[in-house]
Amino acid sequence: MGHDWPFELTRAADYAHTLQESGFPVRWSPNLESGYGSPIYLFFPPLSLTLFSIPIMLGGPLVASMKIVLFVLAVAGGLGMYLFSRLHFGALGGLLSACLYVLAPYHFVDLFTRNALAEFTALSVAPFLFYAVAAMMNEEPPVPHMKILLISSAALFALSHVLSLLMYLPLVFLYLVANQPKRERSLFLADIAGPLLISACLASFFIVPMLWEMKYIQTWQLTIGKFDVLKNFVTVKSLLSKYSWFSVTPFSSILLALVVVGAVMRWKLMNLLQRTNICLFAAYLIFCIFMMTDKSTLLWQHSEILRKFQFPWRLLSPATFALCFLCGSIVMVARGHLVKQLAFVTVIIALAAISLVGQFPPGHGSYIHVSGISPGMISSGNLKATVLDEYIPVWVKKKPDPSLAGMLVSPDPRAVLERRMKRPALLSFRAVLPKKSVLTAHIYYFPGWKIYVNGKEVSFDVGPYGLPRFVLPAGKYNVDIKYENTWDRVTGDVISLLGLAALALFGFRWYMSDASAGVLGPQTEDNDPL
C-alpha cells in the first residue's frame, strides 16, 4: 500500500463500471462525491483507466486486472526502449538499455510508493514514440507501419499523462532537430508533420474539453500548501540516498559514471549521430536534475504551467529515460569483443537488479486486500478518487447532505417525488406537486447538465451547494435531468473522428503506394554500429 492506492483502486473500479454503462468516452462519474457526481474523467487521462477496464469488464478481479495491465506495460516499456536504443548502439546496447529501463528504481517508485499509474503508463509508451521518430528519420521514404506507429504512440502518449507530455515534448523536439536526415528538409517535415497532426486529432476528444473546461474546477488547490512546487525541491544527495522514498539508488550515479568513461574512451570511434545524441540526452538529464533542485527556483516562480507540476522530482521520469538510453553506449567500451560485451552487460544488469531489490525488498511494507468495489460502495462510503477536491465544480462552495445525493427535493412535505431511472448521464423523476415549489436536484452542476420537464427544457439556477434549482407550478410532471455534450466536447469528438478517418484513408494510401513500389518492408542496410 503506497501513497495513492485507495484512489487508484476507486478510480479504476468506478471508471470500469461507468464505461460499461455509458460507453466511451467517459466524462462524468455518477458515484463519486457521495453520489453527487464528479467531472473527473474530463480531466484525468483516460489511457490507463481504459486499459484497466478491459479485463475488469471481462470479469477479472479488480486488483488482478490492474496487475496484469501494469505487468504488460512494464514489459512493453522495455521492448520500446530496446527498439529505440538498438538503432543507436546496436542489439546489445539496446538490450542493456531495455533491462535497465524495466529495472529503473523510479519506475518502481511510481508503482509501489507513489502509485502514479497514469505516469507509469506514459513512461511505457514514451520509448515507442522516440523509436517511431527515429525510424521515420532513418527510412527514406518512411515505411507505412512506421507512420502508423508514430501516429498511435504519439496519440497514446497524449492520452496517458498530461504532465509527462509536457516533460518529454522538449526532448522529442530537440531529438528531431539534432537527428534531422540529410534528405530535403521540406519532404522530411511533411513526412513527420502529417502523422503528428493525425495523432493530435485522435487525442482531441480528451485534450480539447480538458483545456477549455479546466476553469470550471477548483485547480487552485494543486498549487498551494504541501503541493506548492517551491516547497518540494530535492538535493542530488537525497536523490541517490537509499533513505529517500523517491531515491533512484546510488547505482544510478555509477551508471552515469560508466557512460562518461565509455564516451571518453570511444569518442573517436563513434559516428556523428552517436556523439550528438549522447550529448543531447546527457544535457537533458543534467537539465532535469537542475530543475529538481532549488537552484531553479526562478524558473518555477515565473511559469504558471510549471507551478502545476507540484513536485519537481516528477522530472525523474524523463531523467530516467535519458539515463537508460545513454547506458546503451556503455557496451562500446568492449567493442569488437562479443564475449566481453555479453559479460559486461550481464554484470551491469545483475548489479541493477541487486540494487533495486535492496531499495524495494520483497515482502516489505503493508498490504490492503480488496475483492472488488461496486458503485454503491463508492457513493455510500464516500470513496475518494483523488487526494484533494480539485475536480469539484467551482459552483460548490460547501458540500451538501450526503444522504440526499441523487434525489429531487422539494420544501413542500406533501410533494411526491419518485425517481424512475438512474444512469450515469440521466436522472428521471415523477413529480406530483400540490402547490408551486422550488425543486432542487441533488447532483453537482457542471456544464452539460440540462433539465427537461415533460420533454421541454426549463431554465434553472445554481445555489451555494452547487445544485441546480428550478421552479414548477402545481401539477404532475416527468422530470429528466440529462448530462449532454457541450460545444467543446462535440468539437473534440468531431476532430477525433476526422483523425480516425484520416488514419484509415492515409494508412490505406501509404500501404497501397508501398505495395505498388514493390516495397515489402524496411529495405535499409544493416547499420549496426557494433
Side-chain angles (χ1 to χ4, degrees), residues 16 58 102 106 134 142 144 180 212 214 259 268 301 311 412 426 453 497 502:
L58 291 175
V102 172
Y106 182 68
Q180 191 172 160
W212 179 256
M214 191 74 71
V259 170
K268 292 183 179 180
Q301 280 179 329
F311 314 112
D412 185 357
L426 172 65
V453 176
L497 289 174

Side-chain angles (χ1 to χ4, degrees), residues 362-490:
H364 178 73
S366 57
Y367 296 83
I368 54 176
H369 300 276
V370 180
S371 57
I373 300 177
S374 67
M377 292 171 62
I378 295 171
S379 56
S380 63
N382 190 25
L383 300 185
K384 295 179 68 65
T386 56
V387 179
L388 303 174
D389 292 330
E390 69 268 32
Y391 294 116
I392 289 183
V394 294
W395 296 271
V396 181
K397 308 303 181 185
K398 49 185 177 179
K399 294 188 177 183
D401 183 353
S403 65
L404 298 177
M407 298 176 63
L408 189 62
V409 177
S410 168
D412 185 357
R414 296 175 301 164
V416 177
L417 300 166
E418 179 184 70
R419 189 167 67 194
R420 298 186 304 164
M421 185 183 302
K422 180 182 180 182
R423 292 178 181 170
L426 172 65
L427 288 172
S428 184
F429 298 89
R430 184 179 70 88
V432 180
L433 306 177
K435 65 177 184 178
K436 183 178 180 180
S437 298
V438 177
L439 303 182
T440 301
H442 278 255
I443 187 166
Y444 284 152
Y445 169 74
F446 198 76
W449 281 113
K450 293 184 179 180
I451 298 176
Y452 297 88
V453 176
N454 292 338
K456 294 183 178 181
E457 184 178 355
V458 299
S459 60
F460 59 88
D461 66 356
V462 180
Y465 291 99
L467 309 177
R469 303 177 302 188
F470 58 102
V471 179
L472 287 181
K476 297 181 180 180
Y477 304 97
N478 290 321
V479 179
D480 295 318
I481 306 172
K482 298 180 179 180
Y483 187 68
E484 300 179 352
N485 278 335
T486 54
W487 72 266
D488 54 288
R489 297 171 207 164
V490 172

Side-chain angles (χ1 to χ4, degrees), residues 282-394:
Y284 203 76
L285 171 60
I286 294 170
F287 173 74
C288 288
I289 295 173
F290 166 74
M291 290 295 292
M292 294 180 220
T293 68
D294 59 5
K295 304 298 182 183
S296 61
T297 300
L298 195 63
L299 293 175
W300 294 101
Q301 280 179 329
H302 293 86
S303 174
E304 192 63 33
I305 293 178
L306 289 179
R307 295 294 291 269
K308 296 184 184 302
F309 271 70
Q310 300 174 308
F311 314 112
W313 42 256
R314 286 184 190 272
L315 289 165
L316 281 171
S317 177
T320 296
F321 179 85
L323 177 59
C324 291
F325 170 77
L326 288 169
C327 286
S329 67
I330 297 175
V331 299
M332 300 186 73
V333 173
R335 182 174 180 173
H337 303 278
L338 182 59
V339 175
K340 290 182 179 180
Q341 286 180 331
L342 287 171
F344 196 35
V345 168
T346 302
V347 169
I348 293 176
I349 294 172
L351 291 175
I354 293 170
S355 173
L356 182 67
V357 172
Q359 186 73 9
F360 296 91
H364 178 73
S366 57
Y367 296 83
I368 54 176
H369 300 276
V370 180
S371 57
I373 300 177
S374 67
M377 292 171 62
I378 295 171
S379 56
S380 63
N382 190 25
L383 300 185
K384 295 179 68 65
T386 56
V387 179
L388 303 174
D389 292 330
E390 69 268 32
Y391 294 116
I392 289 183
V394 294

Side-chain angles (χ1 to χ4, degrees), residues 114-386:
R114 294 184 60 214
N115 313 133
L117 305 188
E119 184 177 295
F120 184 79
T121 304
L123 61 87
S124 297
V125 177
F128 288 98
L129 174 58
F130 279 85
Y131 169 61
V133 170
M136 287 280 290
M137 291 188 292
N138 287 341
E139 299 282 353
E140 186 179 354
V143 294
H145 62 269
M146 283 305 166
K147 293 182 180 180
I148 301 297
L149 179 61
L150 178 59
I151 292 171
S152 56
S153 59
L156 291 176
F157 193 59
L159 297 173
S160 60
H161 191 239
V162 176
L163 291 181
S164 290
L165 185 64
L166 296 176
M167 290 187 284
Y168 282 81
L169 272 181
L171 184 58
V172 173
F173 174 76
L174 292 172
Y175 181 77
L176 272 169
V177 172
N179 291 266
Q180 191 172 160
K182 295 180 180 179
R183 65 179 183 269
E184 188 176 343
R185 179 175 299 180
S186 58
L187 292 177
F188 163 68
L189 291 176
D191 285 336
I192 204 86
L196 288 177
L197 179 60
I198 294 175
S199 67
C201 291
L202 291 174
S204 291
F205 75 90
F206 168 68
I207 299 296
V208 172
M210 178 202 68
L211 294 176
W212 179 256
E213 301 192 31
M214 191 74 71
K215 59 191 175 186
Y216 300 135
I217 57 175
Q218 304 186 34
T219 53
W220 55 269
Q221 300 180 47
L222 298 174
T223 58
I224 63 173
K226 65 179 182 180
F227 298 100
D228 184 350
V229 72
L230 300 179
K231 296 180 180 179
N232 289 285
F233 289 120
V234 299
T235 63
V236 175
K237 182 179 179 180
S238 66
L239 289 175
L240 300 177
S241 170
K242 65 178 181 180
Y243 302 107
S244 302
W245 63 264
F246 51 77
S247 169
V248 291
T249 77
F251 187 67
S252 298
S253 60
I254 298 175
L255 290 175
L256 184 57
L258 288 174
V259 170
V260 173
V261 171
V264 171
M265 290 178 60
R266 296 294 181 179
W267 188 257
K268 292 183 179 180
L269 297 178
M270 297 180 187
N271 60 45
L272 179 60
L273 280 181
Q274 287 175 327
R275 296 175 187 173
T276 301
N277 285 300
I278 287 175
C279 291
L280 169 63
F281 280 81
Y284 203 76
L285 171 60
I286 294 170
F287 173 74
C288 288
I289 295 173
F290 166 74
M291 290 295 292
M292 294 180 220
T293 68
D294 59 5
K295 304 298 182 183
S296 61
T297 300
L298 195 63
L299 293 175
W300 294 101
Q301 280 179 329
H302 293 86
S303 174
E304 192 63 33
I305 293 178
L306 289 179
R307 295 294 291 269
K308 296 184 184 302
F309 271 70
Q310 300 174 308
F311 314 112
W313 42 256
R314 286 184 190 272
L315 289 165
L316 281 171
S317 177
T320 296
F321 179 85
L323 177 59
C324 291
F325 170 77
L326 288 169
C327 286
S329 67
I330 297 175
V331 299
M332 300 186 73
V333 173
R335 182 174 180 173
H337 303 278
L338 182 59
V339 175
K340 290 182 179 180
Q341 286 180 331
L342 287 171
F344 196 35
V345 168
T346 302
V347 169
I348 293 176
I349 294 172
L351 291 175
I354 293 170
S355 173
L356 182 67
V357 172
Q359 186 73 9
F360 296 91
H364 178 73
S366 57
Y367 296 83
I368 54 176
H369 300 276
V370 180
S371 57
I373 300 177
S374 67
M377 292 171 62
I378 295 171
S379 56
S380 63
N382 190 25
L383 300 185
K384 295 179 68 65
T386 56

Side-chain angles (χ1 to χ4, degrees), residues 17 39 43 83 380 383 528:
H17 290 306
F43 310 99
L83 293 172
S380 63
L383 300 185
D528 189 332

